[in-house]
Amino acid sequence: MAETLVLIPGLACTSRLFEPQVAALGSERTILVADHTRDDSIPAIAARLLREAPERFAVAGLSMGGYIALEVMRQAPERVARLALLDTSARPDSVEASQDRERLIALAQAGRFEDIHSRLWPRLVHSDRQADQDLQEVVIGMMRETGAEAYIRQQRAIMARADSRPNLPGIEVPTLVLVGEGDAIMPPEIAREMAEMIEWASLVVVPESGHLSTLEQPERVTRALRLWLNKD
């Protein structure tokens, strides 16, 4: 029987991030979307996921979701049948990145949550999708659904995340490392670093895609996920 697939969204994202993949793959297996809004640390989010997930499952996370997936591998590697790391990194936050996050948190705390989107949008998607209003509305909708309080918790959790690189060589399940070729937030060299450190990993670079690959190039990402899910 096909393993349950647990999907973990990115920062300020909801299940809509994976809507095309759920539609395409949902008839083949059970799909769950993890709740990453209620806890203020990556270990606590991963522990919640493990309490709510079946005994053994496949896990795929995008961006922040990838940090959580790597923490799941740290806490309970025996429960993970396969791992997908999408547009993410195993590195800890840099000083510069944390400073940027603090500025965004300050905007949210000052009641200017909506201003955050305009600051992030140019780096979120491929240059060819900057004028895509439909895509932008989806992203804004996910952010509004997340809300300022959960967003601040997520940013705090991200800033405090561990360096997962020392754990990568110990991963011994089929692993997909996928990244948009135009991802300005997690560029392809970050994905290559992870793929080279995981013996069981395959690397997929998605053309004409930025950071939100599941929405920007849904068919290509779904194809890669299906191959990974069916890999022996």
Side-chain angles (χ1 to χ4, degrees), residues 17 32 79 100 117 130 146 163 174 186 193 217-218 227:
L17 181 68
L32 306 176
R79 292 182 58 187
D100 286 342
H117 171 77
Q130 294 291 315
T146 299
D163 186 346
M186 300 292 180
E193 175 184 75
Q217 294 293 335
L227 286 171

Side-chain angles (χ1 to χ4, degrees), residues 153-165:
R153 282 194 291 273
Q154 290 176 338
Q155 287 283 34
R156 295 289 187 205
I158 290 170
M159 284 191 286
R161 73 184 186 275
D163 186 346
S164 291
R165 287 173 293 181

Side-chain angles (χ1 to χ4, degrees), residues 128-140:
D128 292 344
R129 303 299 291 274
Q130 294 291 315
D132 187 331
Q133 289 300 313
D134 290 339
L135 179 57
Q136 188 163 194
E137 283 302 315
V138 170
V139 174
I140 292 171

Side-chain angles (χ1 to χ4, degrees), residues 4-5 136 141 148 198 201 205 212 228:
T4 294
L5 172 60
Q136 188 163 194
I198 302 172
V205 180
L212 302 180
W228 160 73

Side-chain angles (χ1 to χ4, degrees), residues 88-100:
T88 192
S89 170
R91 299 179 181 184
D93 229 28
S94 67
V95 172
E96 295 77 14
S98 289
Q99 290 171 343
D100 286 342

